[in-house]
């Protein structure tokens, strides 16, 4: 965790692309590896783990939880359940951003094509070079390691500033756009960061950066070989003078949790403006009315964090206050999804209601108007969905949507009284047809409902009461009768 403890740095997951544009693939049968994958699906995703004693040594773990290894004869396997000496590799980064992987034990390089992979080359040639395609969900928070501050859009200055103590609000959302081996940083208002620090509408040579790893952290190298760094008092993000990265050039990507605003039956926003009491008594949305919703991985219950870092918690007499520093039983709430509204149940088994003075208290046994809240997601104006088999993307030749692609399309998410409309770049809207197919060319917006059911994943319910799911053929359908792995989406 960073010292300010907002979130956990994301484990680096990626695909490795060889000189023939094929992905390194871990087959389920016999724990074999090859370089035959044409796109990045589950079998092509690798997790980077670092040796705790020696930060330069890395282990590559497959989707099956087995580790890539090479023996003294250069034979490559991927069957080890725990990293042993043959699983230790060094990353030798090249000037174009590609990696060579060197066996630490035998000092030979890993490469090849198709089924002919080995780790026996004494020098690095084209077959030993691998391009890195990040497999993380591309929307995240960006933390400067040296400054311990987060990047955010500073619209008034027309720049990305690295001076936030916490990644709060939509301005802190960064989208990584992958194109031809390079990454661009996109702000929430659809602009790209140029290496001179300016924000521009077009993705050009000056907006493309090569990702490099140093001590498990990320660096962004521009087209002139210089690295992104925060500059000056506000930490303006731009390329510095360094052609060798130091601590100032290191970044972590952190999970961007959903941040929400609640409006009670009295039409006022729930806020912490008045102190520790959580009350629905404000008429405008600010950081004080914005709460970070974190779904517990074990219990699937929700916690709500304030911009001061404390959590909503149940105190005596059912009152809800923002006094908890740590997650505990009393900070956990069950969310009941009631289409346009939500109800919250506290750890005492009672529903949270809005009292006459606006104060939130968990004292109700049933749900009426005072127990219902309008909940609005504020930090995903751009929606990128990833399901169990890949990203959601327009179908090449029809109005359908694919749910199994290694590339993604960006959609607009438009809030509408507790429901959402999803809009394609063409300006047309998603809708569910009579046959259950999700189509992307609707002239009129159709309502969808988001249900945040798991950590980092939500379900999407159509106005037909059915859930969106990826079917066996990879098509996005709106006919799911229950939530399962096929109908949960990383966002």
């Amino acid at each position: 965790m960073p010292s300010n403890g907002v979130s956990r740095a994301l484990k680096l997951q990626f695909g490795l692309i060889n000189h023939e544009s094929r992905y390194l693939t871990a087959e389920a049968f016999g724990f074999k590896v090859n370089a035959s994958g044409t796109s990045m699906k589950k079998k092509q995703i690798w997790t980077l783990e670092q040796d705790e004693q020696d930060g330069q040594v890395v282990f590559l773990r497959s989707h099956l939880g087995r580790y890539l290894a090479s023996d003294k004869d250069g034979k490559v396997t991927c069957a080890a359940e725990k990293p042993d000496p043959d699983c230790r590799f060094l990353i030798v980064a090249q000037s174009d951003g590609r990696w060579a992987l060197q066996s630490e034990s035998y000092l030979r390089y890993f490469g090849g094509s198709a089924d002919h992979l080995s780790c026996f080359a004494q020098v690095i040639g084209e077959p030993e070079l691998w391009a890195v395609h990040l497999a993380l969900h591309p929307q995240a928070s960006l933390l400067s390691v040296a400054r311990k501050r987060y990047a955010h859009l500073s619209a008034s200055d027309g720049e990305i500033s690295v001076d936030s103590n916490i990644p709060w609000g939509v301005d802190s959302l960064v989208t990584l756009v992958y194109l031809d081996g390079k990454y661009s940083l996109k702000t929430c208002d659809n602009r790209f960061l140029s290496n001179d620090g300016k924000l521009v509408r077009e993705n050009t040579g000056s907006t493309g950066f090569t990702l490099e790893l140093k001590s498990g952290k990320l660096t962004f190298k521009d087209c002139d070989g210089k690295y992104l760094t925060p500059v000056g008092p506000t930490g303006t993000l731009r390329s510095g003078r360094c052609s060798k990265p130091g601590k100032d050039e290191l970044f972590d990507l952190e999970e961007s949790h959903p941040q929400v605003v609640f409006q009670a039956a009295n039409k006022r926003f729930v806020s912490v403006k008045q102190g520790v009491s959580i009350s629905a008594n404000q008429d405008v949305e600010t950081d004080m009315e914005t709460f970070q919703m974190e779904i517990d991985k074990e219990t699937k219950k929700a916690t709500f964090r304030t911009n001061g870092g404390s959590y909503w918690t149940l105190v005596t007499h059912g009152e809800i206050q923002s006094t908890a520093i740590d997650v505990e039983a009393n900070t956990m709430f069950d969310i009941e999804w009631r289409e346009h509204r939500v109800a919250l149940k506290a750890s005492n088994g009672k529903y949270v209601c809005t009292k006459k003075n606006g104060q939130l208290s968990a004292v109700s046994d049933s749900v009426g108007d005072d127990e219902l809240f309008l909940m609005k997601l504020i930090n995903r104006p751009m929606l990128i969905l990833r399901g169990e088999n890949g990203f959601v993307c327009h179908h090449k030749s029809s109005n359908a949507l694919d749910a199994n692609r290694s590339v993604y399309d960006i959609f607009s998410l438009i809030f509408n009284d507790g429901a959402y409309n999803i809009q394609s770049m063409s300006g047309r809207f998603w809708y569910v047809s009579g046959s259950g197919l999700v189509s992307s060319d609707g002239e009129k917006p159709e309502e969808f409902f988001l249900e945040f059911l798991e950590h980092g994943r939500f379900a999407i319910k159509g106005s037909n009461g059915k859930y969106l799911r990826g079917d066996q053929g990879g098509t996005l359908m709106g006919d799911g009768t229950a939530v399962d792995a096929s109908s949960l989406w990383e966002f």
Side-chain angles (χ1 to χ4, degrees):
M1 285 226 178
S3 60
N4 43 1
V6 173
S7 199
R8 201 176 286 278
L10 288 164
K11 257 198 190 315
L12 284 179
Q13 292 186 312
F14 46 78
L16 289 172
I17 307 167
N18 75 353
H19 64 298
E20 296 173 336
S21 300
R22 300 289 172 156
Y23 285 84
L24 183 65
T25 302
E27 299 293 357
F29 179 72
F31 301 112
K32 289 189 164 59
V33 281
N34 59 53
S36 303
T38 54
S39 64
M40 186 166 61
K41 305 280 177 66
K42 190 159 70 177
K43 290 180 184 176
Q44 287 78 30
I45 291 177
W46 298 82
T47 302
L48 189 79
E49 295 182 1
Q50 283 192 287
D51 182 63
E52 286 175 9
Q53 272 71 49
D54 182 353
Q56 297 306 307
V57 171
V58 297
F59 306 104
L60 292 171
R61 184 162 55 83
S62 75
H63 68 105
L64 300 165
R66 304 297 180 109
Y67 291 87
L68 192 70
S70 163
D71 68 12
K72 67 181 189 309
D73 300 319
K75 187 182 175 206
V76 174
T77 55
C78 193
E81 292 186 48
K82 290 203 173 102
D84 60 37
D86 281 357
C87 303
R88 296 167 67 87
F89 288 91
L90 304 168
I91 295 171
V92 184
Q94 307 299 298
S95 58
D96 64 359
R98 287 189 294 175
W99 291 357
L101 292 168
Q102 186 179 32
S103 161
E104 190 206 32
S105 304
Y106 310 112
L107 301 178
R108 301 296 180 101
Y109 294 98
F110 170 61
S113 58
D115 291 323
H116 307 291
L117 297 178
S118 67
C119 190
F120 208 61
Q122 292 179 299
V123 293
I124 300 168
E126 275 295 304
E128 287 73 46
L129 290 174
W130 301 87
V132 182
H133 186 176
L134 275 189
L136 307 169
H137 190 281
Q139 292 177 307
S141 304
L142 188 66
L143 175 73
S144 160
V145 172
R147 296 202 178 203
K148 298 186 174 66
R149 294 291 182 273
Y150 290 89
H152 67 97
L153 168 66
S154 179
S156 55
D157 301 322
E159 65 177 35
I160 294 178
S161 305
V162 186
D163 62 354
S164 283
N165 289 326
I166 50 172
W168 212 252
V170 68
D171 291 346
S172 296
L173 184 69
V174 174
T175 302
L176 291 172
V177 178
Y178 181 74
L179 189 66
D180 298 332
K182 300 234 189 294
Y183 284 87
S184 304
L185 296 176
K186 195 175 196 182
T187 57
C188 63
D189 64 355
N190 285 310
R191 290 188 287 173
F192 294 96
L193 178 69
S194 180
N195 59 357
D196 61 3
K198 292 189 171 69
L199 295 174
V200 296
R201 290 282 170 202
E202 298 297 319
N203 196 355
T204 62
S206 66
T207 61
F209 298 89
T210 303
L211 278 192
E212 291 184 1
L213 273 189
K214 188 172 181 226
S215 318
K217 308 296 181 189
L218 291 174
T219 65
F220 296 86
K221 187 167 76 173
D222 74 6
C223 52
D224 300 322
K226 304 290 196 252
Y227 290 83
L228 279 186
T229 188
V231 176
T234 61
T236 302
L237 193 58
R238 53 171 299 167
S239 290
R241 297 193 184 95
C242 293
S243 49
K244 262 193 128 165
K247 191 176 181 186
D248 287 341
E249 286 74 39
L250 301 183
F251 294 89
D252 263 333
L253 284 174
E254 291 187 2
E255 181 179 1
S256 171
H257 291 281
Q259 292 178 348
V260 296
V261 169
F262 289 102
Q263 193 176 30
N266 63 8
K267 300 291 185 219
R268 307 191 84 181
F269 295 111
V270 174
S271 177
V272 287
K273 201 166 192 176
Q274 55 290 324
V276 297
S277 289
I278 310 279
S279 291
N281 60 7
Q282 296 299 312
D283 296 317
V284 289
E285 299 171 32
T286 71
D287 286 353
M288 296 275 196
E289 290 72 47
T290 303
F291 301 100
Q292 182 156 294
M293 181 168 60
E294 300 171 16
I295 307 295
D296 183 69
K297 286 180 177 168
E298 308 302 320
T299 64
K300 311 287 193 273
K301 293 176 190 281
T303 59
F304 299 101
R305 190 199 279 254
T306 72
N307 71 327
S310 60
Y311 291 93
W312 292 19
T313 188
L314 176 70
V315 296
T316 48
H317 310 305
E319 195 177 332
I320 307 297
Q321 292 188 350
S322 60
T323 50
I325 304 303
D326 299 309
V327 172
E328 55 195 25
N330 283 347
T331 64
M332 302 268 193
F333 295 83
D334 280 305
I335 305 177
E336 290 186 6
W337 306 98
R338 296 175 174 240
E339 298 207 327
H340 292 88
R341 298 292 184 269
V342 299
L344 303 175
K345 191 185 272 188
S347 56
N348 62 357
K350 304 281 189 182
Y351 288 101
V352 176
C353 78
T354 309
K355 289 185 161 179
K356 292 273 189 288
N357 63 358
Q359 168 69 45
L360 264 54
S361 288
V363 293
S364 301
D365 293 317
S366 59
V367 176
D369 286 348
D370 290 339
E371 289 76 30
L372 290 173
F373 296 89
L374 180 75
M375 188 178 89
K376 176 168 77 166
L377 177 67
I378 62 119
N379 62 336
R380 285 298 184 281
M382 297 185 293
L383 190 65
I384 295 170
L385 294 175
R386 183 164 73 170
E388 63 171 344
N389 295 314
F391 288 104
V392 173
C393 196
H394 286 102
H395 190 270
K396 288 188 177 72
S397 57
S398 75
N399 63 353
L401 292 155
D402 293 330
N404 64 350
R405 300 281 290 279
S406 58
V407 293
Y408 53 81
D409 281 331
I410 298 176
F411 302 95
S412 296
L413 190 67
I414 302 161
F415 182 74
N416 183 6
D417 188 37
Y420 296 84
N421 310 131
I422 304 173
Q423 189 175 34
S424 299
M425 285 300 193
S426 65
R428 298 294 184 101
F429 293 93
W430 285 22
Y431 65 95
V432 181
S433 70
S435 64
L437 189 74
V438 181
S439 301
S440 61
D441 62 347
E443 291 188 9
K444 289 204 299 258
E446 187 167 290
E447 288 188 336
F448 292 91
F449 303 98
L450 306 184
E451 299 182 0
F452 296 81
L453 300 175
E454 290 199 0
H455 184 95
R457 288 176 169 80
F458 60 34
I460 306 173
K461 188 191 270 188
S463 32
N464 61 356
K466 302 284 176 65
Y467 291 97
L468 269 53
R469 66 179 185 92
D471 74 4
Q472 291 297 310
T475 301
L476 187 64
M477 302 295 292
D479 62 359
T481 52
V483 175
D484 59 22
S486 71
S487 49
L488 284 168
W489 306 94
E490 278 183 73
F491 56 91

